[in-house]
Amino acid sequence: MFSNPGNGKFQAMTDFFWKWIQQRPGTTISPKIRIADLRDHGQGRGVGMGPTLPYRFLDLKTVTDASTVAVRDVREDEGLFTIALSDVLMMENSSLYHIKQQELDRLQTWDALVLTMIYEHGKGEDSAWWPYLNVLPTDFDTLVYWSPSELAELQGSAVVGKVGKHEADEHFNNTLLPIVQRDPTIFGHYSKEFIGAHAEASFMRICHRMATLIQAYGFDLDTGPLSDEEDEDNEDEIVAGDLKKGMVPLADLLNADGDLNNAHLVRNEKSMTMTAITKIKAGQQIFNDFGDLPRSDLLRRYGYITDNYKKWDVVELPLMLVCESTARYNPLSEEGIDKRLSLAKDWGVDEDGYDLSWPTELSKFEIPTDLHLTMVALLLDEDHYEEEKAAQSRPRSTGLISRPMYLSLAFRDAIAQRLTMYATTIAQDTEMLQDRRLKRRQRMAVEVRLGEKEILAITLDATTKQIAEIEGEFKEEFEDMEAMQSAKKRKA
C-alpha cells in the first residue's frame, strides 16, 4: 500500500524526483516515458508511455478509453532508461560505508542495506538520495503491519507462519541496534530517537519500514565485473545468487503485472538498464514482474493482491498431515516414521510442507513429485523399506508399495483434513466478498484463503474421481482397508 499525500504535495515530490534523476551523471531516460499518478487506480506512481505533458502520462485504461495519445511506440529490446551503478542506493555507495566499513562488512547484505537506508533517510535533505527517498511509501499493508485480529482472517493459510515479526524484532535488536547506539549522532534526525527509554521501540519501527521498502522495491544486484562472455553483449540479466542488494531509483517505480509484463532490468558494465521485452504501444503503462508468486506471498511481501496472480496460488500441505494420513493405512511407530522420513531426505524430497497448485488437467491430475515420494516412503512396509534404503536411489514407481491404492486414499484424507483447518467454508467466503463494507485488509485475506480452499476442493474432487475409477481394480484390498478402518473406529 502506498502513501497518499495530497495532490499538490504528491506532484511536487514527483517533480522533484524526476528533475533529480534526469540530472544524475550516467543516467539517461527515454523521452517516451513519464511518471504517472495512478492513485485513482490504487497503484500510486507508475511509469509508462505518455503524452508530452510534464512528468505525467495517461495510464493504459485511461488511454484506451480516451484514445487521445499520439506518441512513438517502443520497439522490443529498446532501452527505456539507464541508471548508473553509482546512483544505486546500496552499502558501498553511501558515506556510512566509510564511517562503519568494518561493521557493515560483517553484516548480511540485507541488514547492511537496512542500516544504510536508516542513515541516508536520517540525513534528510543532506542525503544524495533525498529526492528519491522522499517519494518512497510511508504506509504499508504488508503482513508485518497487520494486527493480530487482522491476521486471524488468514487462519488456515501457511502465510501467517511466514510473517516472522517477532523474529525480525529480535534480529534487529541483537544485530543492528548495538551498532546504532554506539554512535547515534551520525544518524541525523533519528539520533534522538535512538537514545532513551523508547529507543528500542523507535528503532524497531524504523527498521521495519526500511526492511519493508527493501522487500517491496529492492533489487538483487551483481555489482562485480562482467565476464568476457558477458562483456560481448555488455549486459547480463540479473539472476538470483550471491548478489548485492540495492535500491534502483526509477526502476522500482514500475508497477508489476504477471500478464502485462513488458520490461526487465539488465546490467551493463557500470549501469542498470530497463529494457522493453516486447513492443509497447503509445499510452501503455510499463510493467515489471515479481515472478510466479502466489497471492499469499504477494500480500506478505508487497501488501496487495491482484487476480492476475491467482493462477499461481498455492496451498501448503503440512508434513504433519501427510504423516497422519499415511499412518491410517500403514501404522508405524515413531521410530518407523523417522526412518522413512530419513529415507525421504536421502531421496531429496523432505520438506516441512508441500505446495499444491491449481491442477492443469483434472483428468490427468498427479500428486506433486516430492509429496508423492514422501508418501511412498511413509507407506513402505519393513521389507520394502530395507530394499529402498539399500538401493540408495529414488524409486521409479509406486509398485514397491504393497497396497498402491493406499497412496490415493491417504492423499485424499490429507486434503480433506487440510480443508478443516480453515474457520470458514468456500460458500461463506464467497458471500463475504459480496459485502461492500468489507475493509481492504479483510477483503484481501478472504481472497487469499478462498483461493487456497478452491485449490483444495478441486484437488479433492479430482482425487476422489480417480479413486472411484481404480476402485474396481483394487476392490478386494479396498474392502479390506474399509473393514480395517471400521474396526479401528469401533475399538476407539
Side-chain angles (χ1 to χ4, degrees):
M1 180 68 175
F2 54 85
S3 56
N4 192 20
N7 288 334
K9 185 178 180 181
F10 185 95
Q11 189 60 46
M13 292 190 302
T14 302
D15 292 350
F16 186 36
F17 166 74
W18 187 248
K19 182 178 180 180
W20 171 80
I21 193 65
Q22 287 182 310
Q23 294 175 346
R24 301 303 297 170
T27 290
T28 58
I29 302 175
S30 168
K32 301 177 182 180
I33 70 170
R34 293 292 183 268
I35 298 177
D37 181 353
L38 301 179
R39 289 175 294 171
D40 289 343
H41 302 283
Q43 297 180 12
R45 297 176 179 86
V47 180
M49 318 306 302
T52 53
L53 298 175
Y55 320 136
R56 295 175 72 91
F57 77 96
L58 301 177
D59 68 309
L60 177 61
K61 181 178 185 298
T62 306
V63 170
T64 303
D65 291 343
S67 301
T68 59
V69 178
V71 181
R72 289 173 298 166
D73 297 341
V74 169
R75 66 182 183 277
E76 184 176 352
D77 294 328
E78 182 175 349
L80 302 170
F81 56 83
T82 296
I83 306 297
L85 283 178
S86 57
D87 285 331
V88 174
L89 178 48
M90 57 184 178
M91 177 182 73
E92 293 85 351
N93 286 343
S94 171
S95 57
L96 179 65
Y97 190 61
H98 304 292
I99 302 171
K100 299 281 186 181
Q101 180 175 351
Q102 289 186 345
E103 290 168 300
L104 288 173
D105 282 340
R106 286 196 293 265
L107 295 175
Q108 296 177 0
T109 299
W110 187 284
D111 293 330
L113 186 54
V114 167
L115 205 60
T116 298
M117 290 185 65
I118 293 174
Y119 170 79
E120 292 295 342
H121 199 272
K123 290 173 67 176
E125 294 182 4
D126 291 332
S127 171
W129 287 276
W130 180 245
Y132 165 61
L133 292 169
N134 206 31
V135 299
L136 293 176
T138 56
D139 301 313
F140 308 94
D141 277 330
T142 50
L143 294 184
V144 74
Y145 288 96
W146 285 32
S147 68
S149 61
E150 289 170 332
L151 285 174
E153 295 290 346
L154 286 163
Q155 178 189 349
S157 176
V159 73
V160 176
K162 299 178 182 179
V163 177
K165 186 177 187 300
H166 174 73
E167 292 80 359
D169 284 346
E170 187 174 314
H171 178 77
F172 291 145
N173 185 59
N174 295 335
T175 306
L176 300 185
L177 185 58
I179 298 175
V180 169
Q181 291 188 324
R182 280 195 290 270
D183 196 0
T185 58
I186 67 173
F187 290 90
H189 68 79
Y190 286 137
S191 59
K192 294 181 180 179
E193 295 190 52
F194 296 160
I195 303 174
H198 303 291
E200 184 176 326
S202 296
F203 185 68
M204 291 304 109
R205 172 178 54 82
I206 296 165
C207 276
H208 278 297
R209 187 201 168 205
M210 300 308 169
T212 299
L213 288 171
I214 294 168
Q215 181 171 253
Y217 296 97
F219 286 85
D220 291 327
L221 311 172
D222 182 356
T223 54
L226 294 172
S227 66
D228 292 339
E229 182 178 346
E230 293 170 337
D231 200 37
E232 292 177 5
D233 298 325
N234 200 35
E235 66 178 31
D236 176 46
E237 287 192 33
I238 298 174
V239 295
D242 185 18
L243 306 176
K244 292 288 184 181
K245 201 80 176 175
M247 306 290 286
V248 184
L250 191 57
D252 53 18
L253 293 189
L254 269 67
N255 288 306
D257 190 298
D259 293 330
L260 300 177
N261 175 219
N262 51 19
H264 67 168
L265 193 64
V266 296
R267 182 174 67 87
N268 309 307
E269 187 64 37
K270 296 182 179 180
S271 61
M272 316 292 294
T273 298
M274 188 64 70
T275 303
I277 60 175
T278 186
K279 292 180 180 179
I280 305 176
K281 296 287 187 179
Q284 285 185 331
Q285 186 177 167
I286 301 170
F287 288 100
N288 204 340
D289 185 24
F290 294 140
D292 300 349
L293 284 182
R295 288 181 299 171
S296 56
D297 276 340
L298 200 65
L299 180 58
R300 177 179 64 87
R301 295 168 61 176
Y302 303 105
Y304 80 99
I305 61 172
T306 171
D307 286 345
N308 292 346
Y309 284 80
K310 182 176 181 178
K311 60 191 170 196
W312 292 308
D313 280 354
V314 297
V315 57
E316 184 178 290
L317 196 63
L319 177 62
M320 173 193 67
L321 282 186
V322 177
C323 292
E324 289 176 357
S325 66
T326 53
R328 297 189 186 102
Y329 306 99
N330 187 34
L332 296 168
S333 64
E334 186 174 336
E335 180 185 1
I337 293 174
D338 289 342
K339 286 165 56 178
R340 283 155 180 79
L341 290 179
S342 178
L343 181 61
K345 184 176 181 179
D346 293 342
W347 292 345
V349 297
D350 62 312
E351 300 286 348
D352 292 331
Y354 299 88
D355 286 344
L356 301 175
S357 54
W358 289 99
T360 51
E361 292 185 61
L362 295 180
S363 60
K364 298 180 181 179
F365 173 76
E366 295 182 354
I367 302 173
T369 302
D370 287 1
L371 172 58
H372 183 112
L373 289 173
T374 299
M375 296 183 72
V376 166
L378 289 166
L379 288 168
L380 292 175
D381 59 29
E382 197 62 30
D383 290 340
H384 283 110
Y385 164 75
E386 294 296 341
E387 290 177 10
E388 291 303 315
K389 185 68 177 176
Q392 297 185 342
S393 62
R394 285 191 182 193
R396 296 184 178 182
S397 73
T398 60
L400 52 103
I401 303 176
S402 58
R403 297 175 184 263
M405 182 70 167
Y406 286 179
L407 184 65
S408 297
L409 292 168
F411 182 63
R412 179 201 63 185
D413 292 352
I415 297 299
Q417 184 62 29
R418 182 67 178 85
L419 271 169
T420 68
M421 296 174 67
Y422 298 91
T424 56
T425 65
I426 290 177
Q428 288 171 326
D429 285 349
T430 303
E431 184 178 353
M432 286 183 69
L433 291 175
Q434 304 306 312
D435 188 352
R436 295 183 178 181
R437 297 168 298 176
L438 212 59
K439 294 182 179 179
R440 171 182 166 83
R441 290 184 178 180
Q442 186 180 12
R443 181 174 294 277
M444 291 192 294
V446 174
E447 294 261 17
V448 166
R449 74 192 192 205
L450 175 59
E452 293 182 359
K453 280 179 274 193
E454 287 175 337
I455 291 174
L456 289 170
I458 291 174
T459 302
L460 181 60
D461 183 61
T463 305
T464 302
K465 289 179 179 177
Q466 286 184 348
I467 290 172
E469 290 174 0
I470 61 176
E471 185 177 349
E473 183 180 350
F474 297 96
K475 185 177 181 181
E476 183 177 341
E477 73 171 64
F478 182 77
E479 291 175 347
D480 289 346
M481 178 275 303
E482 288 291 321
M484 180 182 71
Q485 294 298 316
S486 297
K488 284 185 177 180
K489 289 179 181 179
R490 287 196 298 272
K491 185 177 180 181

